[in-house]
Amino acid sequence: LKLGMALAMISLASGSLLFGFCTGAAIAISVRFVLIGMGNGFLTFLGPISMELGGAERQAEITGLVFGFGKIAQLMGPAIGGWTYGVIESSPAMVPGLVGCFIAIFALGTLIFWLPNFRPEGERRARKAAKAARNASYSANPSTSSSSINACSSNSVSNSSIGTSANTNANANANTNEEYESEVTSSEEEGGDGKPKGFFQVICAWPVPLLVLLRSTQGFLTFAFFEVVPLWAISSKDVGGLALGQEVLGTIFACSAVIAGVFMSVGIKLCTQRFGLRMSAAWGNIVCVGLYVLLPFLTNAWFLLVLHGAINSACGLVGVSYIASINAAVGKGDRAKVNGVCVTMESLGKGIGPASIAIAFAYSLQHWGYAGHGAVFFFMAFLHLLLFAGSLLLPQDIDSGVRKPTDEASPKKLPQQDEEEDDEDEEDEEEGRGRRGGGGNAGVGAADVEAGLEKKGDRGATSSQSSATARGDTGAASAAVMKTGPAAAAAAAAAAAAAA
């Protein structure tokens, strides 16, 4: 993911730089199509990266922050381009292109130094499988420890047997937790036969087709909104418009962008935490339905400012909710692929939306005059009503992000923290192997088992285990280990969700 985002920034930097030197329309279009268009994988990687950093609970908050600050940054882009265009007469687009190139390089540097390295899912699963296999072999082969135990006194034999029993149960519990965690992170990436799903299996699995349709329709409506509202606002009052000038209209849209940016930076977190992803998308679409119905009846620029900011914010809430829903609906290894398909279909909708809505608006004014100035707004309200129904059709577990219950008290972990824990687990296993193979010792005593279980507290060790082992009660120690299995499994599932 980090490499993909870095390549996207390199493509944007190259495209911005080369575009300033283009002298022909064909070359300029090719540069924008290949480097600034096809090579721009920002939206494709943003969703999976947000899920990696924030987990299922905070991914919408991170995406909202990115889009919210993006709204503010988009206000400065046209102004900077207008001020710097034509500074060099021979290459009028060179200076704006250099500015864009510098911004892309700056973004590249920040993600290289600040964005953590995300371990590929295949490597993570291979490490977990190898570790589970080692634990299983230790549990099934206690021959080395048994020979050492037999050479000791009866008291040492008793203590060592207790330690071996507790250690075996702890290893079995660790295996259970690992299998549980692996099931959570990869259950949606494998088919019924245990093999990885193919591309078309992932795309066609419910609710991915519905999410692709919802997201592409939302992209269609968002860009249609940006196109048709200015056309209606500048049209004469005889055909139902507001007859606004360019300066007033530009001020309204700038203020609307600020309103939407603030809402997406703060409000999306509150909405998604209060209502969940499904209902946040549903409520956002309902707000759009009501405001689109009211929009053609406005007669004042101030009302337009309020409604435009509200629709802009609601569209942002719907878009972020759908992106987060896609991350929650598919497995970790498939998120980038599914997001790529969604971004492709959404881009088609964003291209078709403005052109088709503009033509429809002109047609309605030409044939119906004043009576037809609200036709496109009513049509867009109807489409948002369909999106509302589609949002309710999404499965309820979209809001949880995983298919298994999790422990809400478990802290979030970054990928590098998960790697450190894996390394610590391997060190613990090496230490355990050393204790098992040491012929000079009397096997694993009660104190060693107690220390090992305390070091792996999240693997099912509790105070009841330690006390049961210390007093030499083998049955109590085994019961304590088995009793804490579900809790440890829930903690492992929560850790998997945080890392995913």
Side-chain angles (χ1 to χ4, degrees):
L1 295 177
K2 182 176 181 178
L3 177 61
M5 186 65 82
L7 292 176
M9 294 300 105
I10 293 173
S11 180
L12 286 176
S14 303
S16 299
L17 179 63
L18 294 177
F19 186 78
F21 294 93
C22 293
T23 57
I27 299 178
I29 294 175
S30 299
V31 169
R32 290 189 65 86
F33 181 79
V34 176
L35 296 177
I36 302 179
M38 293 177 59
N40 183 9
F42 171 76
L43 287 177
T44 300
F45 296 109
L46 174 62
I49 288 176
S50 299
M51 187 69 167
E52 289 280 352
L53 294 177
E57 296 180 0
R58 302 192 65 184
Q59 57 159 331
E61 176 187 352
I62 294 176
T63 307
L65 285 171
V66 173
F67 285 165
F69 281 94
K71 289 282 186 182
I72 306 300
Q74 289 170 4
L75 290 176
M76 300 183 292
I80 295 175
W83 292 334
T84 58
Y85 185 84
V87 173
I88 301 177
E89 296 182 358
S90 58
S91 299
M94 181 182 297
V95 177
L98 290 175
V99 173
C101 179
F102 171 77
I103 294 174
I105 293 175
F106 177 77
L108 176 64
T110 56
L111 71 90
I112 288 176
F113 287 103
W114 287 344
L115 194 66
N117 293 312
F118 305 109
R119 180 182 296 173
E121 180 63 14
E123 180 184 346
R124 295 168 65 91
R125 292 173 59 187
R127 289 168 63 94
K128 292 182 185 299
K131 183 162 60 177
R134 289 196 301 268
N135 289 337
S137 66
Y138 300 155
S139 300
N141 249 330
S143 57
T144 305
S145 295
S146 298
S147 61
S148 299
I149 293 173
N150 291 333
C152 299
S153 63
S154 59
N155 187 27
S156 299
V157 168
S158 176
N159 291 337
S160 299
S161 299
I162 294 170
T164 304
S165 174
N167 195 35
T168 301
N169 286 331
N171 282 333
N173 188 41
N175 291 336
T176 302
N177 292 338
E178 291 298 335
E179 292 171 359
Y180 191 92
E181 182 176 358
S182 177
E183 178 184 358
V184 171
T185 56
S186 63
S187 60
E188 296 173 358
E189 299 176 22
E190 297 180 352
D193 54 357
K195 296 181 180 180
K197 289 184 178 181
F199 175 76
F200 290 103
Q201 283 183 296
V202 175
I203 296 300
C204 297
W206 184 261
V208 175
L210 176 61
L211 284 167
V212 172
L213 178 62
L214 293 176
R215 188 168 170 182
S216 57
T217 306
Q218 187 267 340
F220 172 93
L221 289 171
T222 299
F223 273 60
F225 163 71
F226 292 147
E227 179 71 19
V228 72
V229 172
L231 294 177
W232 166 76
I234 63 175
S235 60
S236 63
K237 294 184 178 180
D238 295 337
V239 292
L242 297 180
L244 298 180
Q246 293 182 356
E247 294 183 359
V248 175
L249 193 61
T251 303
I252 290 175
F253 292 159
C255 294
S256 173
V258 173
I259 293 172
V262 173
F263 172 80
M264 296 179 73
S265 301
V266 180
I268 285 182
K269 172 186 175 181
L270 302 177
C271 290
T272 54
Q273 289 181 350
R274 175 65 178 85
F275 302 109
L277 298 177
R278 292 172 60 252
M279 295 310 300
S280 294
W283 283 115
N285 282 303
I286 283 297
V287 170
C288 289
V289 170
L291 295 181
Y292 273 128
V293 172
L294 293 177
L295 191 59
F297 300 102
L298 297 182
T299 58
N300 189 287
W302 290 106
F303 291 147
L304 175 61
L305 170 61
V306 175
L307 261 69
H308 195 280
I311 295 176
N312 204 356
S313 301
C315 288
L317 174 61
V318 173
V320 171
S321 299
Y322 287 155
I323 292 175
S325 297
I326 291 170
N327 292 332
V330 300
K332 174 184 173 68
D334 299 321
R335 289 184 187 127
K337 293 183 290 187
V338 174
N339 272 277
V341 173
C342 289
V343 170
T344 301
M345 300 303 296
E346 184 181 21
S347 299
L348 292 176
K350 291 177 178 179
I352 297 173
S356 60
I357 287 295
I359 295 174
F361 181 73
Y363 178 88
S364 63
L365 292 183
Q366 183 179 359
H367 289 78
W368 302 326
Y370 182 87
H373 77 280
V376 293
F377 297 112
F378 300 148
F379 173 71
M380 294 171 69
F382 173 73
L383 290 183
H384 273 289
L385 191 61
L386 295 181
L387 290 182
F388 166 76
S391 301
L392 296 180
L393 291 177
L394 294 173
Q396 293 185 358
D397 54 11
I398 285 291
D399 292 329
S400 64
V402 291
R403 304 295 181 182
K404 299 287 183 181
T406 59
D407 185 3
E408 295 181 358
S410 300
K412 297 295 180 184
K413 296 187 300 180
L414 290 177
Q416 61 266 36
Q417 292 175 307
D418 188 69
E419 294 177 7
E420 293 172 359
E421 290 184 0
D422 286 345
D423 295 337
E424 291 175 0
D425 292 340
E426 291 179 357
E427 293 175 1
D428 295 340
E429 291 163 9
E430 293 292 340
E431 183 179 350
R433 284 203 298 269
R435 287 199 299 265
R436 291 187 184 92
N441 295 328
V444 184
D448 294 332
V449 173
E450 182 178 358
L453 291 178
E454 287 177 355
K455 190 170 183 181
K456 287 187 175 183
D458 59 346
R459 298 297 186 182
T462 63
S463 60
S464 60
Q465 272 179 263
S466 301
S467 60
T469 306
R471 67 173 179 265
D473 190 351
T474 306
S478 177
V481 173
M482 299 306 294
K483 183 178 179 181
T484 55

